[in-house]
Amino acid sequence: MNNIFVICETENGKISDVSLELLTKGRSLANELKCQLEALVIGDHLADIEKQLYPYGTDMVWVADDSRLVFYSTLPYTAIAVQLFKEQKPQIVLLGASSFGRDLGPRVSSALASGLTADCTSLEIGDHEDKRAGKQYTHLLYQIRPAFGGNIVATIINPDKRPQMATVREGVMKKAIHNENYKGKRTDLDVSKYVKDDDFVVKIIERHIESSKVNIKNASIIVAGGYGVGSKENFDLLAQLAETIGAEVGASRAAVDAGFAGHDRQIGQTGVTVRPKLYIACGISGQIQHIAGMQDSAMIISINNDPGAPINKIADYVITGDLTEVLPKMIKYYKKNTK
Amino acid sequence: MKALKIVVLAKQVPDTRNVGKDAMKADGTVNRAALPAIFNPEDLNALEQALRVKDQIPGTKVILLTMGPGRAAEVIREGLYRGADEGYLLTDRAFAGADTLATSYALACAIRKINDVDLIFAGRQAIDGDTAQVGPQVAEKMHLPQVTYVEEITEIKKGKITLKRRLERGVESVECPMPCVVTVNGSAPTCRPRNAKALMKYKHARTVTEQQDSSEDYITLYTERPYLAIPEWSVNDIESDLQQLGLTGSPTKVKKIENIVFQAKEARKIESNDEGIEDLMKELIENHTLG
Ligand SMILES: Cc1cc2nc3c(=O)[nH]c(=O)nc-3n(C[C@H](O)[C@H](O)[C@H](O)COP(=O)(O)OP(=O)(O)OC[C@H]3O[C@@H](n4cnc5c(N)ncnc54)[C@H](O)[C@@H]3O)c2cc1C
């Protein structure tokens, strides 16, 4: 009762990164609230899945293991989560802000008539006073998120309804092992008691999902391109520099929308959040929604032909010039000086 | 095939994609009034999907439903110009301050009143909130299945609809019984433009409030052409539990709003000539940032 739950997502038998990031955050919130951290995993062939979760400080792993649950489907997954939460009465429920969490989260919160805040960038514990009702609340979850197209930051609370639910995008929280030898408990749910046949009316006919190949989130150096890169061909210049110095290629949303780079490379408020030791921004103007996803980089180099580009304000090094001329020079002089 | 009744949920939103300098007030807060109000982009993708079904299945009716202040009637007119058949404006102080849950509840009540609906389309999310919650929550409130992130309808047959979903790393095809709620992705085809005939036909479409506010005398016009009256529903027109509406029905509250301020750093300027770049690369190699 009154614990913190993370609804975990799996991919080919592996717990996805965003779930582990949330467990890491959940562990520190649980310490602060002096409650337990629990995980819910739904799927098929989930033997030993708890072993991936214990090191993150998970005290209890609830497992719904059934061949019919092999792929995510709204109705059966909702039915399981809703009934389990009615029984266990968590105070907080966290999910990844992926297509999974953004489909499941609202459905579950509506069924429980509890509140849900999407795409939080920070979660904290705090108090609240409702002066009009003369009520004092302690230990609420502050759900902090950008609003209004990213131009403001709002702190959202759910004073009265439980659970307090929030989704968080991949990369926003940091993943960290709590203790390699941490031991929790596993409880297997009797799936037939949680789902009805009617929950399986939606049928998956075909699925082509690629496993993620791009790993910009964990890259220590990122060469990111924006709309100013101008073309897919010019993006190859970024790839060449990245290969030379051992970096990953990232992109702004404008570059992704223009088709210069794939979706999985988008950095920012609606992409991934990154914190590399070096971020090289090429032809990126630095709108607030982009900066939100990379401002914690240890060092930022901006290459832009506009000396007034907003990104220059947060950069450590500013190179004012045409990236098609600057990038080949960087490649050339890196090679020359590392031989 | 049996003609369908489709509701498209549409929202009028401030154009947050173009928050320029003039949209910020001197104190750094957003001047919402300075932002143009537009048809939420992904709701237009949703409207297009509905119109495609109408093209395919004769007799199908496309009905817009929007909740908002009086001026949100603009969204309905825009939809009529592009091929929708009817539109309803849900407007009342009782709905004000609603979070996604209370909004979804009000919309679900209105859809029940429209009655006998086969498909409910909505954009994946609105650009002012980016939550993507209203579609799934409407579905849950109506106890209907939902299909989110839809890019294409591949088939409608025997009371079932087959849809292609666009997910982070691929696509998924699902078959869902109707009625159901479908949320449409921005990657789906863009909406057709206004149709000249429809524009002529619906140019004078107005809600009752707009008719009253207008200085001209349109009374004969609206009695002769009843399709020009846009129905305006208040809380009394839908069957609902007041406790679940507006601010009272919203479990989430906004505690605080802050403007984003970035700490400017003192950047070092690097010359873009050969010498400048070579010095920079040497420095980065020497301090182990590179290599
Ligand atoms: C709700 C919402 C969410 C968003 N989420 C994200 C997000 O997650 N990530 C994101 O990136 N954006 C996001 N955006 C979009 C964001 O507002 C900007 O539109 C986008 O980041 C701009 O991308 P850009 O800097 O590549 O393009 P632009 O703003 O067009 O900038 C191009 C830059 O390239 C420079 N340039 C041009 N030619 C050259 C050249 N030859 N050499 C060097 N420099 C050159 C120009 O001077 C300019 O500074 C979001 C927007 C909204 C409303």
Side-chain angles (χ1 to χ4, degrees), chain A residues 42-229:
Chain A
I42 303 171
D44 182 28
H45 289 299
L46 298 175
D48 288 342
I49 199 80
E50 69 281 5
K51 296 199 173 118
Q52 295 177 42
L53 300 170
Y54 293 155
Y56 292 88
T58 314
D59 300 298
M60 172 64 89
V61 179
W62 302 88
V63 181
D65 192 342
D66 187 304
S67 60
R68 293 172 298 173
L69 301 170
V70 57
F71 297 122
Y72 170 69
S73 180
T74 313
L75 299 178
Y77 276 55
T78 302
I80 293 166
V82 167
Q83 196 179 321
L84 181 67
F85 295 159
K86 281 185 180 161
E87 291 161 7
Q88 295 302 319
K89 303 195 173 22
Q91 58 171 313
I92 293 173
V93 172
L94 306 176
L95 302 89
S98 55
S99 60
F100 165 92
R102 292 176 125 235
D103 186 275
L104 179 63
R107 188 96 195 181
V108 172
S109 88
S110 175
L112 296 170
S114 75
L116 168 66
T117 305
D119 292 354
C120 294
T121 48
S122 176
L123 298 170
E124 291 166 19
I125 303 297
D127 299 338
H128 177 64
E129 186 188 354
D130 184 342
K131 292 209 177 87
R132 224 172 307 161
K135 272 195 191 166
Q136 217 33 68
Y137 298 87
T138 59
H139 300 104
L140 290 182
L141 181 68
Y142 284 3
Q143 301 144 51
I144 301 163
R145 75 173 304 242
F148 217 67
N151 299 284
I152 54 178
V153 178
T155 301
I156 313 284
I157 48 171
N158 313 11
D160 298 306
K161 296 287 174 61
R162 294 292 173 274
Q164 309 165 80
M165 293 181 64
T167 67
V168 178
R169 283 184 176 273
E170 182 176 350
V172 171
M173 304 293 170
K174 279 185 217 165
K175 166 179 100 171
I177 300 263
H178 174 66
N179 173 355
E180 283 292 358
N181 303 315
Y182 200 84
K183 278 282 161 295
K185 264 179 29 194
R186 168 178 171 138
T187 304
D188 279 85
L189 300 174
D190 179 354
V191 174
S192 62
K193 292 216 170 88
Y194 287 76
V195 296
K196 312 183 294 297
D197 286 346
D198 278 0
D199 290 328
F200 294 94
V201 290
V202 179
K203 301 220 157 36
I204 298 175
I205 302 173
E206 232 180 295
R207 251 173 80 91
H208 299 282
I209 307 287
E210 292 172 16
S211 51
S212 50
K213 279 175 259 151
V214 185
N215 193 359
I216 48 171
K217 201 183 54 183
N218 297 321
S220 68
I221 304 174
I222 294 172
V223 181
Y227 192 69
V229 173

Side-chain angles (χ1 to χ4, degrees), chain B residues 5 12 19 27 37-39 49 54 60-61 79 115 149 157 159 173 192 206 233 268 273 277:
Chain B
K5 198 161 161 186
Q12 191 179 46
V19 181
D27 61 357
I38 58 165
F39 201 120
Q49 290 303 316
K54 184 182 157 176
T60 290
K61 235 181 180 181
N115 196 23
Y149 294 90
K157 213 168 82 184
S173 236
R192 62 196 65 186
R206 297 284 182 275
W233 283 350
R268 252 180 65 195
N273 56 23
I277 303 292

Side-chain angles (χ1 to χ4, degrees), chain A residues 226-227 252-253 266-270 283 285 289-290 304 323, chain B residues 130:
Chain A
Y227 192 69
S252 73
R253 178 150 119 183
Q266 185 180 314
I267 292 165
Q269 187 191 318
T270 43
S285 63
Q289 299 90 357
H290 185 79
N304 200 304
L323 62 95
Chain B
D130 280 322

Side-chain angles (χ1 to χ4, degrees), chain B residues 22-142:
Chain B
D22 46 334
M24 300 302 272
K25 293 192 225 160
D27 61 357
T29 57
V30 185
N31 181 8
R32 289 171 199 232
L35 296 177
I38 58 165
F39 201 120
N40 178 50
E42 285 181 326
D43 296 346
L44 278 173
N45 297 99
L47 174 60
E48 175 60 26
Q49 290 303 316
L51 294 173
R52 286 182 181 205
V53 176
K54 184 182 157 176
D55 292 343
Q56 247 181 45
I57 308 175
T60 290
K61 235 181 180 181
V62 175
I63 304 166
L64 288 156
L65 173 62
T66 189
M67 180 169 119
R71 67 178 138 77
E74 285 163 24
V75 163
I76 292 176
R77 273 188 292 278
E78 187 62 45
L80 293 171
Y81 299 158
R82 293 177 193 243
D85 300 282
E86 292 171 23
Y88 293 87
L89 171 65
L90 199 54
T91 187
D92 199 306
R93 287 195 108 123
F95 303 133
D99 70 359
T100 66
L101 196 67
T103 300
S104 307
Y105 176 70
L107 290 171
C109 293
I111 297 168
R112 275 199 203 98
K113 163 130 182 178
I114 293 172
N115 196 23
D116 221 6
V117 173
D118 301 286
L119 284 170
I120 299 153
F121 283 105
R124 177 187 56 126
Q125 63 186 34
I127 57 169
D128 56 343
D130 280 322
T131 71
Q133 283 167 202
V134 169
Q137 289 180 333
V138 166
E140 197 283 331
K141 292 279 169 261
M142 303 194 65

Side-chain angles (χ1 to χ4, degrees), chain A residues 11 99 102-103 107 109-110 145 153 155 157 203 205-206 208 210 295 313 316-318 333, chain B residues 125 129-130 140-141 144 146 148 168-169 171 173 175 253 255-256 258 265 268 270 274 283:
Chain A
E11 189 181 313
S99 60
R102 292 176 125 235
D103 186 275
R107 188 96 195 181
S109 88
S110 175
R145 75 173 304 242
V153 178
T155 301
I157 48 171
K203 301 220 157 36
I205 302 173
E206 232 180 295
H208 299 282
E210 292 172 16
Q295 58 183 322
K313 290 206 186 82
D316 300 275
Y317 297 91
V318 171
Y333 291 113
Chain B
Q125 63 186 34
D130 280 322
E140 197 283 331
K141 292 279 169 261
L144 294 178
Q146 73 196 41
T148 52
E168 290 94 339
R169 289 191 294 277
V171 292
S173 236
E175 182 197 83
K253 315 273 179 223
K255 180 169 171 61
K256 197 168 73 179
E258 279 168 305
K265 291 186 204 169
R268 252 180 65 195
I270 305 290
D274 283 83
E283 185 183 323

Side-chain angles (χ1 to χ4, degrees), chain B residues 178-219:
Chain B
M178 296 190 289
C180 62
V181 174
V182 172
T183 76
V184 181
N185 228 19
S187 59
T190 49
C191 193
R192 62 196 65 186
R194 294 174 174 185
N195 168 299
K197 265 200 201 147
L199 183 61
M200 284 305 290
K201 180 173 173 190
Y202 290 111
K203 207 165 60 184
H204 295 293
R206 297 284 182 275
T207 61
V208 179
T209 313
E210 286 174 323
Q211 292 169 32
Q212 286 164 352
D213 290 350
S214 160
S215 52
E216 286 142 273
D217 181 18
Y218 282 125
I219 292 173

